[in-house]
Amino acid sequence: MTARDTWQLKIPIRLCLSSSEITSPVDVKPVYLLAPRYAYLPALAEQCLALFQHVLLSLPGQALPSPWLEHQGLPLNWTQPLGVLHDLLAPSLPQAAAGSNQQQQQPQQACRLSTAATPWSLTVHYRNMPASLS
């Protein structure tokens, strides 16, 4: 696999709204999406705001909340591409070695997935942004 092939891969991501953000009895389902490795976190957060806005605390005259994301309690740096963050933080799965052989045998596809079969689970927050991110 060439470097170009690596950057053309998509990462399956599961975005969940933090339970501390929910102000409604409505059940909030996670958002699943495929994100390019070269994308940045603000692009993901922008997509989620429309889906999560109905359960967020909103006060009249207040600006839209600034989101931040975390993976297993670790706040994610917005200045790194998703592919870099994923490679550093997502657990490596035993299927990855077998998946790479299969990908080499398959013809080119418009939307190829990363070798990890399970989505990378991230939590979306809109309050209490850590000082390290601001």
Side-chain angles (χ1 to χ4, degrees):
M1 179 177 285
T2 66
R4 183 177 179 194
D5 291 337
T6 301
W7 281 100
Q8 289 178 343
L9 292 175
K10 306 251 187 227
I11 301 171
I13 297 178
R14 176 181 183 254
L15 293 167
C16 298
L17 184 61
S18 171
S19 59
S20 65
E21 305 289 339
I22 300 172
T23 60
S24 162
V26 176
D27 190 27
V28 180
K29 298 199 183 314
V31 174
Y32 291 88
L33 51 93
L34 290 173
R37 291 181 56 83
Y38 55 82
Y40 286 82
L41 289 174
L44 294 182
E46 189 176 299
Q47 292 176 6
C48 290
L49 183 58
L51 298 169
F52 293 144
Q53 195 167 11
H54 68 285
V55 294
L56 296 175
L57 178 65
S58 61
L59 299 172
Q62 201 176 41
L64 288 176
S66 296
W68 60 278
L69 287 87
E70 57 123 324
H71 171 69
Q72 297 180 347
L74 178 67
L76 299 178
N77 185 336
W78 289 62
T79 62
Q80 300 295 320
L82 283 172
V84 172
L85 292 170
H86 180 264
D87 292 347
L88 292 172
L89 301 173
S92 57
L93 301 173
Q95 307 156 327
S100 62
N101 291 340
Q102 292 172 353
Q103 282 186 344
Q104 290 173 356
Q105 295 170 358
Q106 292 176 350
Q108 286 277 12
Q109 297 176 1
C111 181
R112 291 186 294 166
L113 296 176
S114 171
T115 54
T118 58
W120 185 29
S121 188
L122 302 178
T123 304
V124 181
H125 297 269
Y126 287 93
R127 294 183 291 176
N128 304 325
M129 181 180 290
S132 63
L133 296 180
S134 51

